[in-house]
Amino acid sequence: MSRKAEHMDLALHAEVERISGPGWDELDLVHEALPELDVAEVDLSVDLFGRRLRAPLVIAAMTGGHAGAVEVNATLARAAERHGLAMGVGSQRAALADPSLVDSYAIVRECAPTAPVIGNIGAAQLIGQGEAPALSIDDLRRAVDMVGADALAIHLNFLEESVQPEGDAHTKGCAEAIGAVASALEVPIVVKETGAGMSRRTAERLRDLGVAALDVGGAGGTSFAIVERLRARQQGDHASYALGMALGEWGIPTAATVAATAPVGLPVIATGGVRGGLDAAKAIALGATAAGVARPLLAAAVEGEQQLDTWIEEFTAELRTVMLLTGSGTTTALQHQPLVAHGRLRDWLGMWPSTARASL
Ligand SMILES: Cc1cc2nc3c(=O)[nH]c(=O)nc-3n(C[C@H](O)[C@H](O)[C@H](O)COP(=O)(O)O)c2cc1C
């Protein structure tokens, strides 16, 4: 089984979420008893990369590059098209090396002719890793063309690479390479963490490198330290397993990383442990433009189109209701509602006091 197929299998069938959560439980929105707003008037739409989404939901990057990915990507893409959502594909590295794998990604554009699609490549592949040379700008253009991408995500996954038995843990030169890609490529660049979050300082560096948006991929949902430690155990790699055990709870919780990065001025996608419309509402109230969801949508997609529709409809109904109950007619209004932070999240927010939300 390829690594991408193993990831999908483990995400579907194993316990891969952290014990400590993304922080939504430590954040309250303030109820508005007299909203003076009709629920039908609540507008969920947002702009992302100059494209309009009908709801602030991104189907987060997951798969491609193996036979089992074709149907999953097709199902997710059709849902993105039906519901007016954006969708990311999984890392396209495999298809750049092996053209027979292109179809498992290209199917997304076929099934979602108008939805915003986000390509995906690892920052580790922008620099040489041992024998493997760095990807060129032409390689990245091929990745963009493969899915007719509206934007390209460069993922940061050095926690995962460190625990992965065969991981690429060289990082030196990635920042410069991201800057070079951001100035050379014709589409906007999103830098995407994958479960450990970003500090404000990292977000400022990425903004200064010319990155167009951040997917802050905080800690609290699917943990790739856990996924890789399960793979390490299957392979009998005790050192990687021990590292994965030690670092399973590593990272900045999603709510904290959204609060840290939103004031930097780039659009923020809040991914990592978003499990419903209330979580997304809290992320938006902290300053995110949209929420990203991976594992729950994968689980729904393998059940079928109807389950996926139900998940998305429940998500939007929940978000719409929370917007009503905070008196927010738009997501911009929601971004300005008061919030109350408690406990561990409050401690994290103390890290970035100067420009965090005035009400926190
Ligand atoms: C099976 C699976 C494969 C993934 N593959 C990628 C990937 O190739 N590139 C990437 O940027 N993120 C990848 N992710 C990370 C997700 O995009 C997301 O950041 C993470 O799963 C947290 O979201 P969640 O808690 O909603 O699952 C993957 C996630 C899953 C579950």
Side-chain angles (χ1 to χ4, degrees):
M1 216 194 278
S2 75
R3 184 166 63 225
K4 292 300 287 175
E6 285 177 22
H7 285 167
M8 200 166 97
D9 190 54
L10 286 167
L12 284 170
H13 304 297
E15 196 42 71
V16 294
E17 302 221 355
R18 291 170 21 127
I19 297 164
S20 40
W24 312 126
D25 287 353
E26 294 161 323
L27 192 67
D28 288 319
L29 284 154
V30 178
H31 176 62
E32 171 52 73
L34 198 59
E36 294 287 330
L37 182 69
D38 222 0
V39 74
E41 284 173 67
V42 173
D43 178 7
L44 300 185
S45 68
V46 291
D47 284 325
L48 194 64
F49 323 121
R51 303 288 311 276
R52 196 94 187 136
L53 308 188
R54 289 218 299 276
L57 178 59
V58 178
I59 300 175
M62 278 181 283
T63 202
H66 58 102
V70 180
E71 195 45 43
V72 170
N73 267 345
T75 305
L76 291 169
R78 281 193 288 266
E81 187 74 17
R82 271 196 306 281
H83 295 275
L85 311 176
M87 173 173 170
V89 296
S91 171
Q92 295 170 265
R93 170 194 193 176
L96 289 176
D98 177 356
S100 74
L101 302 175
V102 164
D103 288 354
S104 62
Y105 299 90
I107 186 91
V108 169
R109 186 43 95 199
E110 273 171 48
C111 295
T114 68
V117 171
I118 308 169
N120 191 287
I121 210 74
Q125 278 73 61
L126 301 183
I127 57 170
Q129 298 283 343
E131 301 285 285
L135 294 177
S136 66
I137 296 293
D138 276 350
D139 291 329
L140 300 180
R141 288 204 175 100
R142 281 201 290 134
V144 167
D145 291 346
M146 195 185 295
V147 293
D150 297 275
L152 180 68
I154 298 178
H155 69 251
L156 305 176
N157 67 333
F158 291 111
L159 170 60
E160 178 187 9
E161 298 284 358
S162 301
V163 176
Q164 193 175 94
E166 68 282 17
D168 293 331
H170 295 294
T171 81
K172 245 187 192 160
C174 280
E176 196 185 331
I178 288 170
V181 172
S183 55
L185 237 62
E186 294 72 19
V187 295
I189 299 300
V190 185
V191 171
K192 176 178 186 298
E193 239 293 346
T194 48
M198 288 180 201
S199 68
R200 176 162 305 158
R201 166 121 183 74
T202 305
E204 286 167 346
R205 284 167 65 208
L206 291 167
R207 176 198 59 200
D208 296 346
L209 287 166
V211 165
L214 304 173
D215 182 332
V216 289
T222 305
S223 161
F224 272 82
I226 297 179
V227 170
E228 294 299 347
R229 91 179 176 216
L230 293 172
R231 290 185 64 240
R233 190 170 60 186
Q234 284 166 358
Q235 294 174 21
D237 179 339
H238 296 294
S240 297
Y241 178 71
L243 200 52
M245 282 304 287
L247 299 179
E249 302 292 312
W250 176 268
I252 308 170
T254 307
T257 188
V258 172
T261 55
V264 165
L266 296 178
V268 164
I269 303 169
T271 308
V274 173
R275 297 295 174 257
L278 176 57
D279 296 347
K282 291 178 179 178
I284 291 167
L286 285 167
T289 296
V293 176
R295 210 168 74 91
L297 291 173
L298 177 66
V302 298
E303 293 292 313
E305 215 126 86
Q306 205 175 342
Q307 276 79 355
L308 194 51
D309 280 346
T310 301
W311 197 97
I312 294 167
E313 282 155 16
E314 286 178 3
F315 172 94
T316 50
E318 194 175 308
L319 175 58
R320 193 184 295 282
T321 305
V322 174
M323 286 175 66
L324 172 77
L325 296 179
T326 54
S328 313
T330 62
T331 57
T332 311
L334 180 57
Q335 282 178 329
H336 294 95
Q337 298 298 354
L339 285 163
V340 185
H342 317 278
R344 193 161 158 263
L345 177 61
R346 198 177 170 79
D347 294 342
W348 270 106
L349 297 184
M351 277 282 297
W352 301 287
S354 55
T355 51
R357 289 278 311 267
S359 58
L360 282 169

